[in-house]
Amino acid sequence: MAQLISTLQDPQALISLAVLVLAVVLFISGALAPELTGLLSVGLLMATGVLGPKEALAGFGSPALITLLGLFPVSAALFKSGALDRLRALIASERIRTPRRLIALMAFVIAPVSGVVPNTPVVASLLPVVENWCHRRGLSPSRVLLPLSFSTVLGGTLTLLGSSVNLLVSDISQQLGYGSLELFSFTLISLPVWLTGAVYLVLAPRVLLPDRGSDGDDLAVSPERSSYCTEVTIPVDSELVGSSLHNSRLQRRFDVDVLELQRSGERLLPPLADRRLQAGDHLLLRVTRQDLLRLQQDHTVQLTTQKQDVEASLDGASSGQKTVEVLLPAGSTLAGASLRELRFRQRHNATVLALRRGQETVQERLGQVVLREGDVLLLQAPLDSIRGLQASNDLLVLDRLEDDLPTVRRKPVAVSIAIGMLLLPTLTPVPLVASVLLATVAVVASGCLRLGELQRAIRLDVILLLGSLTSFSVALQKTGLADALATGLEQWLMGWPSYGSLMVLFIGTTLLTQVMSNAASVALLAPVAVQLAPSLSLPPTAMLITVLFGASQSFLTPVGYQTNLMVFGPGRYRFLDVTRYGSGLTLIMTLLVPALVLWRYGPT
């Protein structure tokens, strides 16, 4: 503590700490998008003179970031070419008849795929297939969707390419002077981690996974039975005018719950059964997807998600439009704004028919609802517009479209390029970044990906976040804050065995990742962790890898990892469902990872 107080006598150290505290608050609160928080921090560190421009912006030109930038289009080419079609077909086959078999397939077959390509598109591609599998067998998706997310998280640490966090740790390692990580630098640790986690997923008691298909009619298994919130208006010529809700054709014919009646600016809440309807009344309904589509064809009401789209919505079926579900993934720039503010219809040429938000009932007019990560929207749009949404990083289309893989004949080419990308740096002196860049050019030159699709495939938000976060590590090192914090932690851990100290570092990183992005957790803890290495008689790389696994093996909350959030809404989970299912796996990893790190590196 004394060293930290002494270090803070330096104005630059005090400024750095203030910027870091501000960043942590913004990361946790979500007041700013993570990438904006990162850019703000870089700007403040340069403006106050703590870091020079070259130091602060070094992360944007790092090999790790360029590797990630090139990996996005290669992954997009793989998915567009249908490289996962075999997995889709295997899930849909008659050989996979029980949830345990499906979980085994996820844990032992799908997980390794995430060691090569980012796990977010893997989950996005397989999510509708798994939901349809559940529907055909009358099972709740909540029985299998969390294992899908956890499987891809486990597989994401098999190679350096499996996660952006892996590449960030490699970049920080190079920035701190310890050299970058190789493609298989931590595979000897991640293989036992993956296999142990896979066995847990297969053998975990079924009671740990909720059955959201038997708790009531509004939680039925079928996607068509999922409850959405939508808004309708009673037109002047409707037969409902003058009748009460209780006796109306609306409730006799459709399975709807009226959540609110809005009339002349007044909000009327249940009980509403005896209220007589008037022309112009707005009703907020909870309705199944199937009944919502039937409701579109019933001229006694009009969908008023967006007034200017009423006619387009009602005539959608006859004008070649399709109805699809889309998910707001983690990092979506649409989160935090309402449909009206976003001008959603004009921006995406798609009409929002309804919204679903896990177990929560949305009781606002849809145009005014502030969107959140994990929300599921029911959209109606022309096929070309839906294909445009498939290329967006802000929305994930959950329904598979016919003929949505136009380059399937190039699948062998795309797969060969990906394999070559992995083999080239493994068998030759060619750096990984060069191999990835060559593969990026190859997928475009071979026609697996068009140039415009390459540009859309690059996740600019991830690039900005990771490029800016390395400035944290540089500032912590330059001002002596990393040394001071490490000294305080070392004094607290004095007398602890190396294994116990690594456990504290692992679980501390894991818990911090639950409240802020895993990349931010790594950027803050990695410089401190390496300073502990001499006292534990371990190389700095061992400490970095412990932080890496702590940030990556996130199984406690839906917000701890983006794939957890992706399955949260479709699985209709509650917050503690993730905690209950993931606690055992987190405990196992807390015991296993430090032991494997010690086995791999051992005391020096």
Side-chain angles (χ1 to χ4, degrees), residues 241-273:
V241 175
S243 65
S244 67
L245 271 173
H246 178 70
N247 296 319
S248 72
R249 182 168 173 258
L250 179 66
Q251 292 209 310
R252 290 200 312 268
R253 182 177 177 185
F254 302 102
D255 180 18
V256 301
D257 292 324
V258 180
L259 304 175
E260 184 178 295
L261 188 153
Q262 300 169 1
R263 177 181 296 165
S264 302
E266 183 182 4
R267 300 178 63 183
L268 304 175
L269 300 177
L272 299 168

Side-chain angles (χ1 to χ4, degrees), residues 359-421:
Q359 294 293 309
E360 185 177 339
T361 298
V362 179
Q363 292 196 250
E364 296 177 74
R365 299 185 66 168
L366 291 184
Q368 301 170 354
V369 174
V370 176
L371 299 179
R372 300 180 190 171
E373 295 175 345
D375 283 352
V376 176
L377 303 177
L378 191 64
L379 301 185
Q380 191 170 71
L383 193 58
D384 288 344
S385 297
I386 296 173
R387 290 207 175 106
L389 292 175
Q390 288 179 313
S392 168
N393 294 322
D394 290 324
L395 294 166
L396 294 173
V397 179
L398 300 182
D399 293 296
R400 188 179 181 189
L401 303 178
E402 301 84 354
D403 194 31
D404 63 352
L405 296 172
T407 61
V408 68
R409 58 190 172 85
R410 293 191 174 91
K411 178 164 61 175
V413 178
V415 173
S416 298
I417 291 172
I419 293 174
M421 179 185 72

